């Protein structure tokens, strides 16, 4: 038997580092992991029983997160997996479930590897009650995807109190969203998003607690040994620098944001993971630099990172940064009204919502362009651009009636998710920009080689600080570097065990994993070899020589490829 609280000497930093390095192996090899939520209290037995029962009635596709009826003979309620139909509660079930899901266990960062690295025998225990982790997780995902009501709602006199109780349950479930939906292995680019609400006592553990959940090859290549004698800034900077080198991208810049750092002596190009931050959803679907990997020069002693890229536009004005309020307990209609007021307050963005072209650009910006055309084939949980435009027009008109599960509601939910922690702005040409919350007029929108999203910079003398990730329609799909795609070709994600970027020819139906705009000799790679490799591996990462690529960017876009010094 191994119990972390007993087996690790927390006062010995050297011993603790060695023990922490073994924890992943221990959980993977254990014959059974028992996750202990604590003693029975507040009718926790009722909550455990109900969640286990609901989890036994459904199956969850962990690739698409879709529900289907359970396949066992114990499945009695086949309607439970239908997200268009509400869940019915008895009044005495609601509070116990809310209280159970608010227990400290769920917010601890270290329990993630404990339960997600365990085998199928893992169980969740609370007092004398226990159930399998699979059933418990199924129950959480079911609760997240369904609407709630009571069996005897028509007979309840105090509707206000009842609605508040149901809303508290919804809040408890929403807080566990990133926990219930966590994938394993964990990707480096998802660190902030997956663990933003998880807590730990030691800030170094923001890195050390997730190492064992990375893919085996990633752990091997990063070669990080927990070292609690290093400062927090040293741990974060070392992890970031190693990630740049191993993965040949600078996507960790998407997790940087000015004005939220609390760790001393940390450059703005290094994410500060120490804060339990309600971080924005990452803009990792922008595909800003297409398949070009990054070029960099890291001067470690000076904390300077030099990266290659282009400046695309400059922020002229920034709207109200009110979007943290979207996570602070507002009901859906209040959230939608907040969004409408913020859009209309940002003068040129949407004042004429009858202008189809302007509204289309705004919809793509607000939704980070997560529409069906960017998938092949599109999953059920995204909508098409037309529905997104119609939903935005309805929102701006003041009509907030969006039925759960409808295409319009999917589009509005996408906007709500994207705007958390962000604000709207416009550039010097009057086009909308999705900005970090601490943006200012004069900040520069840049696209770097090897970075999925555009990055907002602020000039400090001859250098720049990273303000955060941003999005404009012109920064999508490598257009800022390579110009538009050929007629009839679009960038889209295709699924094969995981999502990969590809190029779909809508005229022929062909799918290529090589960007046709990079079918150019003299850039530092052999085109035919890279094409063949891309089709075999389902992805491509092209290292280009600076001077020839600079010439190509100038010819295609009129922009100058240059070096930016980040501090």
């Amino acid at each position: 038997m191994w119990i972390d609280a007993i087996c690790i000497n927390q006062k010995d930093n050297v011993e603790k580092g060695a023990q922490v390095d073994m924890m992943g192996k221990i959980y993977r090899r254990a014959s059974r992991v028992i996750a202990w939520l604590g003693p029975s209290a507040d009718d926790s037995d009722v909550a455990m029983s109900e969640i286990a029962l609901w989890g036994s009635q459904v199956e969850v596709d962990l690739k698409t997160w879709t529900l289907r009826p359970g396949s066992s003979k114990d499945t009695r309620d086949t309607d439970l997996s239908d997200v268009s139909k509400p869940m019915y509660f008895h009044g005495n079930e609601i509070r116990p479930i809310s209280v159970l899901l608010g227990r400290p266990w769920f917010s601890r960062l270290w329990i993630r590897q404990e339960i997600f690295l365990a085998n199928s025998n893992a169980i969740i225990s609370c007092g004398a009650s226990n159930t399998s982790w699979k059933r418990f997780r199924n129950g959480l995902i079911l609760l997240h995807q369904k609407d709630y009501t009571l069996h005897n709602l028509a007979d309840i006199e105090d509707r206000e109190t009842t609605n508040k109780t149901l809303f508290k349950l919804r809040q408890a479930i929403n807080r566990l969203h990133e926990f219930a939906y966590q994938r394993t292995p964990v990707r480096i680019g998802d660190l902030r998003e997956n663990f933003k609400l998880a807590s730990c006592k030691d800030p170094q553990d923001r890195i050390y607690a997730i190492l064992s959940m990375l893919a085996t090859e990633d752990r091997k290549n990063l070669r990080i040994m927990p070292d609690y004698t290093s400062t927090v800034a040293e741990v974060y900077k070392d992890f970031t620098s190693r990630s740049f080198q191993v993965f040949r991208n600078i996507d960790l810049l998407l997790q940087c944001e000015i004005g939220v750092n609390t760790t001393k002596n940390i450059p703005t190009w290094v994410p500060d993971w120490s804060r339990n931050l309600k971080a924005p959803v990452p803009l990792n679907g922008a595909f800003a630099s297409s398949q070009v990997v990054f070029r960099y020069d890291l001067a470690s002693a000076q904390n300077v990172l030099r990266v290659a890229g282009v400046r695309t536009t400059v922020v002229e004005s920034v709207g109200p940064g009110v979007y943290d309020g979207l996570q602070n307990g507002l009901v859906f209609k209040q959230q939608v009204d907040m969004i409408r007021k913020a859009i209309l307050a940002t003068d040129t963005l949407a004042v004429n919502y009858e202008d189809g072209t302007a509204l289309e650009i705004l919809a793509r910006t607000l939704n980070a362009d997560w529409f069906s055309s960017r998938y092949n084939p599109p999953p059920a949980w995204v909508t098409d651009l037309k529905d997104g435009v119609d939903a935005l027009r309805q929102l701006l008109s003041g009509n907030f009636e969006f039925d759960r599960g409808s295409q319009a509601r999917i589009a509005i939910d996408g906007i709500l998710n994207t705007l958390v922690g962000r604000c709207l702005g416009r550039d010097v040409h009057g086009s909308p920009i999705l900005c970090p919350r601490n943006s200012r007029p004069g900040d520069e929108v840049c696209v770097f080689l090897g970075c999925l999203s555009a990055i907002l910079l602020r000039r400090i003398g001859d250098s720049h600080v990273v303000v955060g990730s941003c999005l404009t329609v012109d920064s999508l799909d490598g257009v800022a570097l390579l110009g538009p795609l050929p007629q009839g070709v679009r960038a889209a994600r295709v699924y094969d065990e995981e999502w990969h970027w590809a190029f779909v020819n809508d005229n022929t139906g062909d799918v290529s994993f090589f960007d046709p705009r990079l079918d150019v000799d003299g850039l530092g790679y052999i085109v035919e070899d890279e094409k063949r490799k891309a089709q075999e591996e389902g992805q491509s990462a092209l290292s280009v020589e600076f001077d020839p690529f600079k010439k190509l960017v100038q010819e295609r876009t009129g922009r100058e490829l240059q070096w930016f010094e980040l501090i």
Side-chain angles (χ1 to χ4, degrees), residues 291-308:
Q291 297 171 327
V292 181
V293 301
F294 85 119
R295 297 184 65 89
Y296 75 101
D297 178 21
L298 181 61
S300 299
Q302 291 79 33
N303 288 332
V304 173
L305 176 70
R306 293 179 71 241
V307 293

Side-chain angles (χ1 to χ4, degrees), residues 20-65:
V20 165
D21 189 52
M22 294 190 300
M23 287 175 67
K25 295 178 182 178
I26 292 171
Y27 289 125
R28 282 192 181 91
R29 297 175 180 177
S31 60
R32 167 169 283 179
V33 170
I34 302 173
W36 171 247
L37 304 187
S40 177
D42 301 301
D43 291 324
S44 56
D45 293 345
V46 173
M48 290 287 294
S49 175
E50 289 301 313
I51 294 174
L53 174 61
W54 295 325
S56 71
Q57 301 297 295
V58 298
E59 293 289 339
V60 179
D61 186 327
L62 297 181
K63 295 179 179 179
T64 62
W65 304 117

Side-chain angles (χ1 to χ4, degrees), residues 148-180:
Y148 311 148
T149 189
L150 296 179
H151 282 289
N152 58 339
L153 186 60
D155 299 327
I156 293 176
E157 296 181 2
D158 190 355
R159 290 289 187 91
E160 183 177 354
T161 300
T162 301
N163 287 335
K164 286 182 179 179
T165 304
L166 288 171
F167 183 64
K168 287 181 179 179
L169 176 59
R170 173 59 67 189
Q171 283 184 303
I173 292 297
N174 287 345
R175 282 195 298 269
L176 297 180
H177 172 268
E178 40 92 18
F179 168 73

Side-chain angles (χ1 to χ4, degrees), residues 72-85:
S72 73
K73 61 181 181 181
D74 297 328
T75 302
R76 300 187 300 273
D77 188 355
T78 57
D79 284 343
L80 204 56
S81 61
D82 187 344
V83 296
S84 68
K85 298 179 179 179

Side-chain angles (χ1 to χ4, degrees), residues 248 291-296 308 449 482 518 520-526 541-554 561-563:
R248 296 199 298 166
Q291 297 171 327
V292 181
V293 301
F294 85 119
R295 297 184 65 89
Y296 75 101
L449 275 61
L482 302 171
L518 292 168
V520 179
D521 292 323
L523 294 181
Y525 52 82
I526 300 174
L542 302 174
S543 180
V544 297
E545 294 181 0
F546 185 85
D547 289 335
F549 191 68
K550 178 178 180 179
K551 182 179 179 181
L552 176 69
V553 171
Q554 176 68 38
L561 185 69
Q562 58 186 295
W563 289 98

Side-chain angles (χ1 to χ4, degrees), residues 356-399:
T357 301
L359 201 58
E360 182 176 300
I361 292 173
L362 181 61
R364 294 179 66 192
T365 305
L366 289 172
N367 222 313
D369 209 31
W370 282 119
F371 293 110
S372 57
S373 62
R374 293 175 69 76
Y375 294 87
N376 191 59
W381 37 267
V382 295
T383 186
D384 62 32
L385 178 58
K386 180 182 180 302
D387 287 327
V389 170
D390 290 344
L392 186 56
R393 182 179 288 112
Q394 178 182 332
L395 179 153
L396 291 169
S397 72
N399 180 355

Side-chain angles (χ1 to χ4, degrees), residues 88-357:
Y88 289 91
F89 288 90
H90 296 288
N92 63 343
E93 300 167 342
I94 303 173
R95 186 178 179 278
I97 296 173
S98 297
V99 173
L100 178 73
L101 299 184
R103 289 197 178 205
W105 184 88
F106 292 97
S107 63
R108 290 180 56 221
L109 178 57
W110 276 108
I111 62 92
R112 298 297 185 91
Q113 64 170 344
E114 171 185 318
I115 198 66
F116 283 100
L117 296 181
N119 61 26
S120 58
N121 294 323
I123 62 174
I124 301 286
S125 293
C126 183
S129 299
N130 64 74
T131 186
S132 72
W133 162 238
K134 178 183 177 181
R135 284 191 173 184
F136 194 90
R137 187 186 191 186
N138 285 356
L140 292 182
I141 293 173
L142 178 71
L143 283 166
H144 182 264
Q145 295 192 17
K146 300 273 281 188
D147 274 332
Y148 311 148
T149 189
L150 296 179
H151 282 289
N152 58 339
L153 186 60
D155 299 327
I156 293 176
E157 296 181 2
D158 190 355
R159 290 289 187 91
E160 183 177 354
T161 300
T162 301
N163 287 335
K164 286 182 179 179
T165 304
L166 288 171
F167 183 64
K168 287 181 179 179
L169 176 59
R170 173 59 67 189
Q171 283 184 303
I173 292 297
N174 287 345
R175 282 195 298 269
L176 297 180
H177 172 268
E178 40 92 18
F179 168 73
Y181 289 86
Q182 181 180 313
R183 297 183 189 275
T184 306
V186 170
R187 296 180 299 182
I188 294 295
D190 295 333
L191 290 190
R192 180 78 85 188
E193 174 65 13
N194 279 0
F195 305 105
K196 61 188 177 186
L197 298 181
S199 60
C200 58
K201 184 177 180 180
D202 194 326
Q204 284 105 319
D205 288 338
R206 289 283 173 188
I207 300 301
Y208 298 152
I210 61 91
L211 288 177
S212 62
M213 291 186 282
L214 299 176
T216 302
E217 193 68 18
D218 293 347
R219 295 198 307 274
K220 178 182 177 181
N221 292 334
L222 285 169
R223 294 181 298 172
I224 293 176
M225 173 69 74
D227 179 6
Y228 288 92
T229 65
S230 297
T231 67
V232 177
E234 288 170 341
V235 171
Y236 290 177
K237 182 183 172 185
D238 178 64
F239 180 78
T240 302
S241 302
R242 290 172 185 262
S243 297
F244 288 170
Q245 297 166 21
V246 168
F247 301 111
R248 296 199 298 166
N249 65 55
I250 48 176
D251 291 337
L252 281 182
L253 290 181
L254 275 67
Q255 300 182 43
C256 299
E257 185 178 355
I258 199 170
V260 300
N261 289 1
T262 58
T263 300
K264 295 181 179 180
N265 303 317
I266 188 169
T268 64
W269 51 268
V270 174
D272 185 356
W273 288 286
S274 65
R275 290 191 62 189
N276 193 3
L277 184 68
K278 294 179 179 178
V281 174
L283 300 175
N284 55 14
F287 202 36
S289 66
S290 185
Q291 297 171 327
V292 181
V293 301
F294 85 119
R295 297 184 65 89
Y296 75 101
D297 178 21
L298 181 61
S300 299
Q302 291 79 33
N303 288 332
V304 173
L305 176 70
R306 293 179 71 241
V307 293
V310 297
R311 181 184 296 105
T312 65
T313 190
V314 176
V315 176
E316 181 171 272
S317 65
V318 179
V322 298
Y323 302 109
D324 284 338
L326 298 180
Q327 290 185 330
N328 291 337
L330 298 179
V331 299
F332 176 74
K333 289 185 178 181
Q334 290 174 317
Q335 294 179 359
V336 174
D337 187 42
M338 178 181 289
I339 297 301
R340 176 179 181 270
K341 290 175 180 176
I343 294 172
L344 296 178
T346 312
D347 47 357
T348 64
L349 287 182
V351 278
N352 182 7
Y353 53 82
E354 295 302 324
D355 183 342
T357 301

